[in-house]
């Protein structure tokens, strides 16, 4: 009680006072750092309990931790993070925590190393030394005299980038065969000298390092913040990303994962729509309940939660599904950043303990930043025996080998690490003896032998006999792992290729995948004829089936063929990577006639398509011409030829294009960006103008203009006036503009000034603006000065016009000059300002352009800029939010079409992808940050959400978020969520700017509405009603805008269903709870609504669809009507093949009184795995 | 133990001049008061900043002048500046390199490239030389006097590390070409490849075969300083005691005053003309011989701190030692230089660059005000170095060791 100081009393008293002070506390004060208080807030999984393992002063600011073979926990700790102060002496530390009596709490803490600068990774080597990330350097430090303090310090590697201190070297892990792995994140550029030459890695990735050989290689590229990496029992590795919500990532060797700046194709994670995650551990061992073993644990550090996934094999790769959460908390400073299993079989969490999680948004020197505290928590299963801590450090070799049979990954791992420091000959002798005693009939022997193989790898002793045996093991998981070991040993195996020839023809797709990647790595290291032969061998994997398409989940887009740059299948992707890696050898060999892929056209086609550049399109054309490519695969190849070919090749493409949009779009891009037009046959574009699909008519009209087919001008003019074909009309106007001559200017001027509808006039002026902004500007201003009712048509017309000027070089300036001092309609000004902001940011625009926003404001009589809040205003608003904000009303506003939040910001992965997903915004953002971000979007921008502005050589202006960049192409995501590719050689200027989020978005809201909206945002992700659950729930919907006549009374699906282009479907999204609300469903007077969502089946089989209530619902799954009880809970089990399938609901609004909550789940015993398609 | 030490110290050579080509006076790099030496190159240069040997020798060796140093080494860099491109394409690295050099305001540029290019072998030589010429042309505008360093020879550490033989053959080609490049432009050139060799087992200059360790950097510093005519020179003083009278028969590189004898010992004041080399390695050791002492053991104290003991017979022959306050001072200067380098690193290449200066500066750009705060800290260290590098008078007292507590062992 003596400790109940005055300050404590005051705090308690303040907390009890309602209103402003409580809000302020939320805003500016962190909770008292009392571990007991934090402990009380934990909600562990059923049957589990949490205890404190260590807290300050034993440790502070833990970032990364790893156990050693003695069971001691090594912790990297930094108080300097995120940035050194001038004059500050580096004083960060590596600590060793010891639980001497085995009671699950640390009793001793020793400073192993001091004087470090932001050590973000540490792993002990089980020989009293440790590898440590020290900003630019990888250090090795060692204790030689047994006092647990380092007395040796060496720089092992240097030159790792420090461009962002939460991206620097991190996530240290030993692999099963003794390689050390560590990661860097997306902003880092590393340049490292090694005895084998320079290694460079720009962007994120995982390094693979062999300590005693000092051999450093790139294991995978990409991931934004790959803060998690662990190997499973079979040596396969999986990652977690702290900036990209893809859940578990299967780390195929050599893959490029989302987030790498340069790559032709990337691989996505297995759980799109997941939160950002940090740390990763695959669980194992007798202490945990059986159903927990083998699951992947990672930290949703933003939401103070720990998540768990079950990973299962899926073809050549994996599928993953979220399962029950191990731990969650409401405590705002609980920041689980690392997770490791301990020697006792319990799970340990490093808690960075900080209300602030990052340094991008929050000032380096913010007083809220906690620099002193930190904890390690321990999660154990109640009533289950702990694992007896194994004695490894001094154990004889024979005993260590016996531990390789233990079910705990922890024990087997450290036994191998300890063995790796013993004399090689002793270990080899003991291993041989141990292997001899294993019972070949025992099912467990396969894994024991694999551990033996990894032990040989750990002591760097090549053992061809055991390798050969395991390459042909009856267990495909052993064969896959052995194939990878073969890759590490290839240089000492004499001729590894014949062995790989067998693996690449294996009956298991997982083994084939490993063989394909191993061939890629062996080939690129050996080079020369070996590389050529490896490539030919790898391509033989095509003789067996690849994964079914759509194996890796992604954000779906069904309508257009898109290269998209995202892997479509695991084995397919592995082949692609190998073909790209080996291209420097096989392509010249092919051209020189040294190799021919055994005359197999399928293999050749695949190889050429992987290259996909100008250099290979001639050969692709030959293959197609010779009839060697089946029709089903031609579209992608023809589009590739269209993008890179010469006029003759483009003519070849156009002859075969038919009405395929992917090909036609590529032809249009080549005309626009490269000025390359088919050498002949362009007159036949007239056929497209008569196509039944309006999209085809539209691209036809554009092509007619781009190719300047004079004979079609009259037809385009006719289409441009057509009242009944709006899509083709706009395209015809664009097509006419592409003629860029006096005739088209005159025609467009006429259409733009005639007395037609505002919609038609704006379309004509927009087209004119793309060729002659100065001529178009006065016509546009005429439209802007005319007031009108705020109909959606009017809004669209105004938006179209502004966009046309802004996306043309000189367009904004022409508009500014034309507006001058004229007064414009209020709505025109608002739309104009909103659309201009992303284009006209400081540094991106100059001259008249930069004044457009100012001129618009003046023209609309708007004074000042968008609303800005003072600090006092912010605090006042925050107080009101806490007092009276209604999150339910706020959520309705979030879904309203006026605010259009979902157009850019997804929740649970469903919604737009232009801005960050907001699934856990309430747990990461303080109220003041939320308020600032809404009122001033440029104040703090999430990483990777900075806009990029490009001016092309053909005079277009593009803005968007950079999605990826390949050697030939930059892909942006524009503010409408569309992917916009631009050839890099067509870029005249590129700048990086601020946010794409317009300011002034909330200016139209009432104070009540503002409070509600912010309250809602502040609740998302917190434990309660606004947290995305772990069950797989339909969140992305399409609603039928107008129910066609004839469907009201009948219980049948609209003709054609979801894919029917004749129907108008609008996007809608579930509430955070997962429910699609009834108010969103009700679109009109018919009393009937139709809604569909999609599931992506990643492994074929049975899937269970669950509905809380079936009242008033009819369901079609993949076009088949599902049998459901008319009332009560609905449960439908359907068998579905791999691919994307629709769930179409008919809702009888007269009967139904609630929204739709639709979930899917696995069916026990069935291999079927599915996820809902998310995204926009 | 003591005896062995004597033999060891007497066996010292006096610095790196023995391994480097002695240069004529006009070849020496006359550092002038106010000179700014900028080091540019790859990991070899970058890591040298945390050892500080080279800049210390350049600071204390040769005639008296104040010189400052900036280290612009960047790991794995090449003559194209590829490591410096950061968020831009590799080709943008060259412009950044030039900007970094210009902003460091060099009057002398010490440049070391070629070790990474050499992995490409003979077929990469033309592109390397073309790039090097472009680099030197671009840096000519600074007006700085230029020194080119060759790459070092790789050491063979045995398996499991790779055999450096093939790469050393590559390096020899590049070393020759860099020498010719320097000669063609009349630049000073230091052939480290030729000069640096481990002096025997346990005296390796690298731990990993490719990067110098502390011993390696000391050797490199000695070689470079000597080649530039800026090496430190040892002090050699000979005294003759006769009762109360003490006479200096010779004093090289030092001024000896206030010679006193009596009470069985000798005392005097000595001021070096320049600071010595680093302690504990035999660089430019101090040799003191005192004849005429009564038999017995004598201990030398410099400024009150005991430095060495020897018998009268040994003092007569001459005792070489490399410790004491002046040696400590050199090491202090080295450590100050390393601290200064740490500040400068975070000044010119701060972490979190995108937030402070780059595309996210609207978020944390306000922290940019901190970065120039390194400047006064750097200046402070440099002022301290400038003060310390001027030798001061030291009191030398030689007394019978038996008078010392504990006596002679």
């Amino acid at each position: 009680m003596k400790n109940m100081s005055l300050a404590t009393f005051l705090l308690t008293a303040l907390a009890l006072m309602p209103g402003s002070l409580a809000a302020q506390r939320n805003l500016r004060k962190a909770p008292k750092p009392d571990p007991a208080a934090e402990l009380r807030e934990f909600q562990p999984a059923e049957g589990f309990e949490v205890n404190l393992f260590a807290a300050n002063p034993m440790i502070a600011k833990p970032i990364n931790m790893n156990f050693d073979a003695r069971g001691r926990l090594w912790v990297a700790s930094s108080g300097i993070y995120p940035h050194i102060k001038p004059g500050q002496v580096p004083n960060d530390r590596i600590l060793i925590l010891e639980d001497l009596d085995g009671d699950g709490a640390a009793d001793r803490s020793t400073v192993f190393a001091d004087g470090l600068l932001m050590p973000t990774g540490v792993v002990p080597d089980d020989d009293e030394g440790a590898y440590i990330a020290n900003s630019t350097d990888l250090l090795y430090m060692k204790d030689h005299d047994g006092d647990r303090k380092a007395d040796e310090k060496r720089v092992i590697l240097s030159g790792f980038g420090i461009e962002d201190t939460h991206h620097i070297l991190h996530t240290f892990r030993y692999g099963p065969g003794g390689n050390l792995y560590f990661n860097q994140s997306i902003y880092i550029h590393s340049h490292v000298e090694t005895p084998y030459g320079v290694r460079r890695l720009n962007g994120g990735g995982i390094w693979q390092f062999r300590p005693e050989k000092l051999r450093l290689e790139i294991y995978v590229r990409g991931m934004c913040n790959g803060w998690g990496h662990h190997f499973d029992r079979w040596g396969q590795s999986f990652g977690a990303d702290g900036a990209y919500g893809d859940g578990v990532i299967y780390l195929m060797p050599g893959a490029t994962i989302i987030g790498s700046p340069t790559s032709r194709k990337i691989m996505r994670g297995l759980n799109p729509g997941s939160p950002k995650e940090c740390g990763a551990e695959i669980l194992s061992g007798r202490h945990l309940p059986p159903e927990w073993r083998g699951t992947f644990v990672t930290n949703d550090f933003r939401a103070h939660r720990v998540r768990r996934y079950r990973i299962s094999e899926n073809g050549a790769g994996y599928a993953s599904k979220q399962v029950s959460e191990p731990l969650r908390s409401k405590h705002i400073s609980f920041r689980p950043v690392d997770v490791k299993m301990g020697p006792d079989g319990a799970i340990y969490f490093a808690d960075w303990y900080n209300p602030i999680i990052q340094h991008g948004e929050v000032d380096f020197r913010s007083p809220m930043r906690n620099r002193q505290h930190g904890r390690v928590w321990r999660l154990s299963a109640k009533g289950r025996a702990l694992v007896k801590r194994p004695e490894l450090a001094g154990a004889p070799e024979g005993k260590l080998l016996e531990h390789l049979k233990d079910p705990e990954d922890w024990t087997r791992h450290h036994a191998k690490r300890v063995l790796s420091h013993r004399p090689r000959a002793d270990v080899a002798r003991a291993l041989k003896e141990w292997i001899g005693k294993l019972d070949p009939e025992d099912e467990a022997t396969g894994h024991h032998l694999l551990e033996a193989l990894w032990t040989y790898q750990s002591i760097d002793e090549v053992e061809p006999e055991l390798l050969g045996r395991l390459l042909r093991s009856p267990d495909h998981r052993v064969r896959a792992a052995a194939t990878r070991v073969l890759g590490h040993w290839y240089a000492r195996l004499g001729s590894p290729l014949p062995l790989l020839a067998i693996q690449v023809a294996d009956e298991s797709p997982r083994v084939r995948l490993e063989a394909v990647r191993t061939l890629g790595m062996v080939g690129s290291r050996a080079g020369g004829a070996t590389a050529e032969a490896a490539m030919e061998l790898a391509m033989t994997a095509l003789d067996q089936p690849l994964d079914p398409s759509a194996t890796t989940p992604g954000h779906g887009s069904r309508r257009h063929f898109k290269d998209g740059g995202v892997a479509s299948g695991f084995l397919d992707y592995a082949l692609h990577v190998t073909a790209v890696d080996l291209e420097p050898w096989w392509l010249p060999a092919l051209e020189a006639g040294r190799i021919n892929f055994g005359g197999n056209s399928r293999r050749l086609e695949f190889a050429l398509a992987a290259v996909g550049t100008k250099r290979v399109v001639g050969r692709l054309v030959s293959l197609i011409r010779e009839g060697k490519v089946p029709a089903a695969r031609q579209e992608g190849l023809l589009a590739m030829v269209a993008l890179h070919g010469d006029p003759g090749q483009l003519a070849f493409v156009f002859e075969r294009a038919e009405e395929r949009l992917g090909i036609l779009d590529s032809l249009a891009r080549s005309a626009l960006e490269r000025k390359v037009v088919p050498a002949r046959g362009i007159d036949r574009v007239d056929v497209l103008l008569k196509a039944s699909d309006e999209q085809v008519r539209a691209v036809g009209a554009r092509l007619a203009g781009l190719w300047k087919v004079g004979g079609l001008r009259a037809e385009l003019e006719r289409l441009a006036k057509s009242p009944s074909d709006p899509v083709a009309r706009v395209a015809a106007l664009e097509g006419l503009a592409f003629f860029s001559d006096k005739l088209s200017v005159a025609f467009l001027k006429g259409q733009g000034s005639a007395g037609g509808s505002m919609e038609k006039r704006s379309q004509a002026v927009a087209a004119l603006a793309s060729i002659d902004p100065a001529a178009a500007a006065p016509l546009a201003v005429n439209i802007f000065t005319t007031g009108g009712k705020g109909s959606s048509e009017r809004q669209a017309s105004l938006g179209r016009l502004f966009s046309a000027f802004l996306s043309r070089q000189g367009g904004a300036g022409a508009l500014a000059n034309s507006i001058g001092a004229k007064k414009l309609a209020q709505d025109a000004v608002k739309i104009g300002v909103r659309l201009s902001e992303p284009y006209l940011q400081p540094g991106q625009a100059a001259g008249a352009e930069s004044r457009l926003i100012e001129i618009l404001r003046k023209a609309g009589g708007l004074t000042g800029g968008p609303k800005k809040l003072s600090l006092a205003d912010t605090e006042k608003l925050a107080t009101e939010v806490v007092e009276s904000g209604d999150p339910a009303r706020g959520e309705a506003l979030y879904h309203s079409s006026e605010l259009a939040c979902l157009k850019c910001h997804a929740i649970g992965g469903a919604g737009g992808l232009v801005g960050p997903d907001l699934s856990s915004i309430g747990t990461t953002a303080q109220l003041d940050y939320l308020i600032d971000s809404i009122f001033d979007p440029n104040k703090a921008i999430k990483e990777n959400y900075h806009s990029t502005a490009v001016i092309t050589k053909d005079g277009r202006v593009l803005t968007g978020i950079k999605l990826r960049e390949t050697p030939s192409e930059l892909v942006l995501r524009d503010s409408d969520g569309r992917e916009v590719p631009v050839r890099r050689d067509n870029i005249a200027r590129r700048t990086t700017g601020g946010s794409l989020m317009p300011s002034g978005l909330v200016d139209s809201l009432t104070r009540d509405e503002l409070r509600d909206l912010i309250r809602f945002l502040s609740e998302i992700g917190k434990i309660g009603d606004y947290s995305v659950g772990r069950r797989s729930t339909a969140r992305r919907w399409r609603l039928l805008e107008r129910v066609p006549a004839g469907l009201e009374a009948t219980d049948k699906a609209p003709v054609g269903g979801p894919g029917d282009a004749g129907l108008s479907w609008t996007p809608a999204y579930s509430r955070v709870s997962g429910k699609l609300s009834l108010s969103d469903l009700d679109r009109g007077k018919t009393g009937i609504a139709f809604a569909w969502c999609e599931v992506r089946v990643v492994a074929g089989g049975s899937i269970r669809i669950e509905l809380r209530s079936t009242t008033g619902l009819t369901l079609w799954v993949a076009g088949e009507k599902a049998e459901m009880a008319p009332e009560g809970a609905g449960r439908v089990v359907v068998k579905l093949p791999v691919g994307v399938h629709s769930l179409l609901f008919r809702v009888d609004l007269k009967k139904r009184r609630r929204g739709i909550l639709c979930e899917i789940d696995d069916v026990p015993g069935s291999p079927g795995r599915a996820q809902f398609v998310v995204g926009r | 133990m003591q005896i062995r030490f004597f033999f060891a110290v007497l066996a010292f050579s006096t610095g790196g001049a023995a391994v480097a080509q002695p240069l004529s006076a006009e070849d020496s790099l006359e550092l002038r008061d106010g000179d700014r030496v900028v080091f540019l190159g790859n990991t070899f240069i970058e890591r040298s900043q945390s050892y500080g040997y080279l800049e210390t020798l350049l600071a204390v060796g040769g005639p008296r002048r104040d010189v400052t140093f900036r280290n612009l080494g960047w790991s794995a860099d090449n003559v194209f500046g590829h490591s410096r491109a950061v968020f831009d394409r590799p080709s943008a690295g060259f412009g950044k390199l030039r900007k970094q050099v210009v902003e460091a305001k060099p009057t002398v540029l010490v440049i070391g490239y070629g070790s990474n290019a050499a992995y490409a072998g003979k077929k990469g030589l033309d592109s390397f030389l073309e790039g090097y010429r472009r680099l030197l042309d671009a840096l000519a505008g600074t007006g700085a006097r230029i020194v080119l360093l060759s790459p070092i020879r790789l050491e063979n550490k045995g398996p499991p590390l790779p055999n450096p033989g093939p790469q050393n053959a590559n390096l020899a080609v590049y070393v020759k070409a860099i020498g010719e490049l320097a000669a063609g432009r009349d630049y000073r050139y230091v052939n480290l490849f030729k000069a640096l060799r481990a002096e025997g087992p346990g005296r390796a200059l690298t731990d990993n075969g490719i990067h110098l360790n502390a011993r390696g950097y000391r050797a490199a510093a000695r070689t470079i300083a000597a080649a530039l005519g800026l090496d430190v020179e040892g002090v050699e003083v000979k005294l003759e005691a006769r009762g109360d009278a003490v006479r200096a028969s010779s004093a090289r590189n030092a001024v000896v005053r206030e010679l006193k004898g009596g009470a069985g010992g000798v005392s005097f004041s000595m001021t070096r003309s320049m600071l010595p080399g680093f302690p504990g390695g035999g660089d430019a050791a101090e040799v003191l011989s005192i004849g005429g002492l009564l038999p017995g053991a004598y201990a030398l104290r410099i400024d009150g701190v005991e430095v060495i003991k020897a018998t009268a017979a040994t003092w007569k022959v001459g005792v070489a030692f490399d410790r004491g306050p002046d040696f400590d001072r050199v090491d202090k200067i080295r450590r100050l230089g390393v601290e200064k380098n740490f500040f400068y690193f975070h000044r010119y290449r701060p972490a979190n660059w995108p937030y402070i200066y780059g595309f996210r500066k609207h978020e944390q750009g306000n922290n940019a005000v901190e970065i120039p705060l390194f400047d006064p800290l750097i200046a402070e260290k440099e002022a301290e170095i400038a003060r310390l590098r001027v030798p001061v008078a030291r009191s030398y007292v030689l007394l019978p060791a038996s008078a010392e507590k504990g006596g002679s062992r």
Side-chain angles (χ1 to χ4, degrees), chain A residues 210-546:
Chain A
R210 187 72 188 189
E212 75 274 18
K213 296 173 195 250
L214 298 175
R215 192 180 249 293
L216 182 72
E217 304 292 349
I218 295 166
Y219 179 58
V220 298
R221 290 169 198 275
M223 297 202 278
C224 294
N225 282 332
W227 287 326
H229 178 202
H230 199 197
F231 291 83
D232 76 358
R233 186 176 160 79
W234 305 98
Q236 296 293 330
S237 68
F238 298 89
D241 194 330
Y244 205 90
D246 261 1
V248 178
I249 300 159
Y250 161 46
L251 298 169
M252 177 196 299
T256 297
I257 316 295
I258 188 88
S260 185
T262 52
S263 51
R264 288 181 207 162
K265 243 183 197 179
I266 53 165
M267 204 166 83
R268 296 283 309 255
L270 303 174
N271 310 83
S274 299
K276 302 169 180 207
E277 293 164 334
C278 189
E281 182 84 352
I282 292 171
L283 306 181
S284 69
R286 287 163 285 192
H287 172 64
L288 298 175
E291 67 275 17
W292 280 55
R293 298 172 198 163
T295 58
F296 178 99
V297 169
T298 182
N299 300 303
D300 179 1
F301 58 100
R302 299 162 71 89
H304 325 290
R305 287 177 174 212
V306 180
R307 289 163 68 99
R308 205 161 62 88
Y309 297 88
R310 180 165 295 287
I311 301 168
S312 53
E313 290 196 329
N314 177 23
Y318 294 87
S320 160
K321 175 177 184 290
Q322 203 200 341
V323 290
S324 69
E325 289 175 344
L327 189 63
R328 53 189 197 163
S329 170
K330 284 182 175 173
H331 197 287
I332 67 161
S333 293
F334 173 58
R335 297 294 179 192
V337 293
D338 201 1
V339 49
K340 294 283 150 65
M341 294 228 54
D344 55 355
I347 311 168
Y348 292 72
F349 296 93
D351 173 8
W352 190 48
Y353 195 85
N354 212 324
I356 292 173
I357 54 163
Q358 221 258 23
H359 67 275
E361 296 94 337
V362 183
D363 197 283
F364 295 172
R365 309 299 175 212
S366 166
M368 284 282 285
R369 216 171 256 293
N370 182 303
R371 293 177 187 275
Q372 303 85 41
H373 299 100
R375 294 100 174 71
V376 174
W377 301 102
R378 176 175 169 275
L379 182 74
S380 55
K382 282 192 271 194
R384 291 187 63 91
L386 290 164
V387 176
K388 185 173 171 288
R389 285 201 282 188
E391 292 292 331
L392 301 175
E397 281 82 33
K399 186 148 179 261
L400 288 167
L401 290 171
E402 275 306 297
H403 276 303
L404 296 183
K405 295 176 177 170
D406 283 10
E408 286 78 27
D409 290 356
W410 192 100
T411 308
R412 297 196 313 280
H413 172 81
H414 287 288
K416 274 180 298 187
R417 297 295 316 132
V418 171
L419 283 166
S420 76
H421 297 289
R422 298 286 171 84
R424 189 200 276 202
D426 295 356
V427 179
R429 199 179 314 116
L431 254 174
K432 195 161 187 176
E433 197 179 308
W434 184 72
I435 292 168
K437 280 193 274 186
L438 294 174
D439 174 7
E441 301 301 312
D442 186 347
E443 216 174 289
T445 295
H447 192 266
H448 299 340
L449 288 172
L450 180 56
E451 290 287 357
L453 187 70
W454 283 330
T455 309
Y456 278 116
Q457 193 191 349
S458 297
I459 61 169
D460 199 31
E461 181 84 18
V462 173
E463 176 46 64
E465 198 184 308
L466 180 62
L467 175 67
R469 184 172 164 195
L470 297 193
L471 286 172
R472 294 290 91 217
S473 162
D475 188 328
H476 70 282
R477 295 168 298 188
V478 175
R479 298 201 298 279
T483 305
R484 197 179 289 192
V485 174
L486 186 163
H488 290 292
W489 285 349
Y490 84 92
R492 289 178 284 170
L493 283 173
S495 51
L497 293 189
L499 292 172
L500 285 167
I502 299 168
Q503 301 310 97
V504 82
D506 197 282
E507 63 179 34
S508 158
R510 288 242 63 261
V511 179
R512 298 201 294 274
L513 181 143
E514 286 290 340
V516 164
R517 286 308 305 124
T518 300
L519 283 163
M521 285 179 288
V522 167
S524 53
R525 288 205 193 159
T530 306
E532 295 168 16
M535 176 65 183
E536 286 209 290
L537 257 184
M539 291 301 119
T540 62
L542 288 159
D543 301 355
Q544 291 193 64
L546 300 183

Side-chain angles (χ1 to χ4, degrees), chain B residues 93-386:
Chain B
F94 187 74
K96 296 192 177 185
L97 183 157
R98 179 159 52 180
K99 188 161 174 279
Q100 286 157 6
V101 173
V102 168
E103 285 174 356
K105 300 191 178 74
T107 60
V108 175
L109 263 167
V110 178
I111 307 175
Y113 281 114
S115 58
N116 295 321
Y119 284 101
K122 279 201 182 92
K123 68 178 193 297
L125 184 65
D126 286 347
S127 136
F128 167 73
L129 285 174
E130 196 183 312
Y132 216 159
R133 284 190 206 103
R134 178 179 74 143
L135 173 68
L136 296 171
D137 290 346
L139 299 181
T142 63
R145 290 110 77 203
I146 288 177
V147 179
L148 300 190
L149 305 180
S150 82
I152 62 163
R153 178 189 302 275
L154 308 189
E155 287 184 335
N156 192 350
K157 314 302 283 188
L161 289 179
N163 173 12
Q167 177 62 2
N168 274 332
N170 286 336
L171 281 166
V173 174
Y174 281 68
V175 167
K176 183 163 173 281
I178 297 168
E180 289 164 3
L181 179 67
R185 293 179 170 236
D186 231 6
Y187 293 158
R188 289 162 188 88
Y189 170 65
V190 185
N191 188 339
L192 295 171
F193 188 79
K194 192 173 159 197
L196 290 187
R197 294 264 199 175
E199 288 167 9
R203 303 187 59 79
L205 304 179
T206 73
D207 293 335
N208 63 3
I210 65 167
H211 295 126
L212 295 178
N213 55 22
R215 188 184 295 107
Y217 272 112
R218 269 177 82 142
R222 229 163 36 221
T223 305
I224 295 167
L228 299 178
L230 291 166
D231 52 338
V232 292
E233 288 171 29
V235 161
E236 212 173 325
V237 172
K238 283 188 176 143
L239 304 179
E240 199 57 39
R242 222 164 259 161
D244 284 357
V246 184
R247 190 176 59 87
S249 56
S250 72
R252 190 161 67 88
N253 294 329
V255 176
V256 178
R257 291 196 193 88
E258 298 165 40
L259 288 151
K260 282 177 201 153
V266 171
S267 75
F268 56 94
S269 150
M270 188 174 99
T271 310
R272 298 169 154 270
S273 60
M274 71 173 78
L275 286 177
F278 301 102
D283 299 326
E286 186 164 334
V287 183
L288 186 59
S289 48
I290 305 173
L293 296 169
L294 295 172
Y298 291 81
L300 174 66
R301 290 174 158 259
I302 305 177
D303 284 355
V305 177
E306 185 181 304
V307 172
I308 200 162
K309 278 180 208 160
T311 60
T314 314
W315 281 115
K316 185 177 166 62
V317 177
V319 173
F321 56 91
D322 59 355
R323 48 191 191 188
D326 282 330
F327 289 92
D328 293 346
R329 194 174 248 227
V330 171
D331 204 51
K332 167 87 176 161
I333 290 174
R334 183 182 72 84
R335 279 182 281 115
L336 286 166
V338 170
E339 287 165 18
K340 178 265 303 173
N341 288 340
F342 180 82
F343 290 151
Y344 182 66
F345 182 91
H346 292 278
R347 169 69 171 102
Y348 103 94
R349 210 207 288 189
N352 293 313
W353 181 87
Y355 301 90
I356 298 173
Y357 297 123
F359 49 92
R360 295 182 76 169
K361 67 177 175 213
H362 55 278
E363 292 170 81
Q364 296 302 316
N366 53 323
N367 285 297
V369 295
E370 282 188 1
I371 306 302
L373 300 182
F374 281 107
D375 291 340
L377 298 169
I378 292 168
E380 217 173 275
K381 297 286 178 196
E382 286 174 338
E384 176 79 347
I385 291 168

Side-chain angles (χ1 to χ4, degrees), chain A residues 907-944:
Chain A
I907 294 178
L913 305 170
V914 181
D917 186 298
L918 299 182
S919 297
S920 56
I921 188 74
T923 59
T924 56
Q926 302 288 319
L927 275 176
D928 54 350
Y929 172 75
L930 277 176
I931 293 169
D932 278 349
S933 301
I934 291 168
F935 280 91
D936 186 1
N938 277 311
K939 191 161 172 183
I941 303 176
K942 254 335 281 168
E943 57 203 305
N944 305 322

Side-chain angles (χ1 to χ4, degrees), chain A residues 985-1004:
Chain A
D985 57 14
N986 188 30
I987 296 175
R989 201 166 90 91
R990 175 197 320 206
T991 49
T992 306
S995 173
L996 280 189
M997 176 160 157
S999 53
L1001 259 188
V1002 291
D1003 288 1
S1004 61

